[in-house]
């Protein structure tokens, strides 16, 4: 099963052709880990520099 695609800029999981946050279409399927952020003020969100709720990859493999 292919991995879902992730925006290379904000690490958000994107289902369409354009990242709703960055308005770009630069995606990767090479990522590791997944986090669902409900509260952008939480410690994990701050650590990962996430400022909006959503589903994010923890790291992108370069
Ligand atoms: Zn993005």
């Amino acid at each position: 099963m292919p991995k879902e695609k992730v925006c290379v800029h904000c690490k958000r999981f994107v289902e369409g052709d354009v990242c709703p946050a960055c308005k770009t279409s630069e995606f990767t399927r090479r990522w590791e880990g997944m986090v669902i952020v409900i509260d952008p003020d939480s410690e994990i969100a701050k650590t990962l520099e996430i400022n909006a709720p959503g589903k994010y990859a923890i790291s992108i493999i370069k």
Side-chain angles (χ1 to χ4, degrees):
M1 192 176 124
K3 278 191 165 185
E4 297 164 80
K5 65 179 188 281
V6 167
C7 172
V8 298
H9 299 287
C10 65
K11 301 182 191 168
R12 182 191 294 262
F13 285 83
V14 177
E15 290 183 3
D17 292 329
V18 176
C19 173
C22 307
K23 313 292 184 201
T24 70
S25 52
E26 295 169 62
F27 304 117
T28 181
R29 292 178 195 273
R30 292 169 56 79
W31 51 266
E32 281 183 334
M34 182 192 293
V35 63
I36 293 173
V37 171
I38 295 162
D39 178 8
D41 293 322
S42 63
E43 288 302 316
I44 182 72
K46 285 177 185 163
T47 301
L48 296 170
E49 298 179 344
I50 289 166
N51 50 32
K55 185 172 146 193
Y56 297 84
I58 291 174
S59 64
I60 284 171
I61 303 163
K62 296 258 163 64

